[in-house]
Amino acid sequence: EIRSVVFAIFQICSFIVVILNFEVDDLKREYERITSLKIGKVSEIMYVNVYMPYYYFNVLDPDGNVLEITGNY
């Protein structure tokens, strides 16, 4: 179950990168589910602690979109 979606746009060099952020209740379970679908490249679960610490992983979908999945770990 997706709890929230955040749409972020970044300009890197001369092109724009769009990252869609989805928040889920169980990050490990969602990681296993997404990995089993084989819809694109999936990163490892990572930890970031810049503003607010959280765990996440990225999915690169077949259209080249970056999806960031976050949630309880």
Side-chain angles (χ1 to χ4, degrees):
E1 175 181 313
I2 296 172
R3 291 189 297 186
S4 68
V5 178
V6 176
F7 181 74
I9 299 176
F10 300 94
Q11 185 168 0
I12 300 175
C13 299
S14 61
F15 60 93
I16 295 175
V17 175
V18 176
I19 299 175
L20 300 172
N21 178 285
F22 298 90
E23 184 177 358
V24 297
D25 289 325
D26 186 334
L27 189 64
K28 283 184 179 179
R29 187 173 64 196
E30 190 65 16
Y31 181 82
E32 292 170 4
R33 188 183 77 82
I34 294 290
T35 303
S36 72
L37 293 174
K38 300 183 189 224
I39 60 170
K41 293 183 180 180
V42 180
S43 73
E44 297 295 319
I45 295 177
M46 297 176 273
Y47 175 75
V48 66
N49 185 10
V50 177
Y51 170 70
M52 183 176 78
Y54 68 99
Y55 288 90
Y56 73 99
F57 66 92
N58 289 325
V59 179
L60 184 62
D61 78 6
D63 293 325
N65 299 303
V66 178
L67 311 175
E68 180 179 276
I69 315 297
T70 65
N72 295 326
Y73 183 65

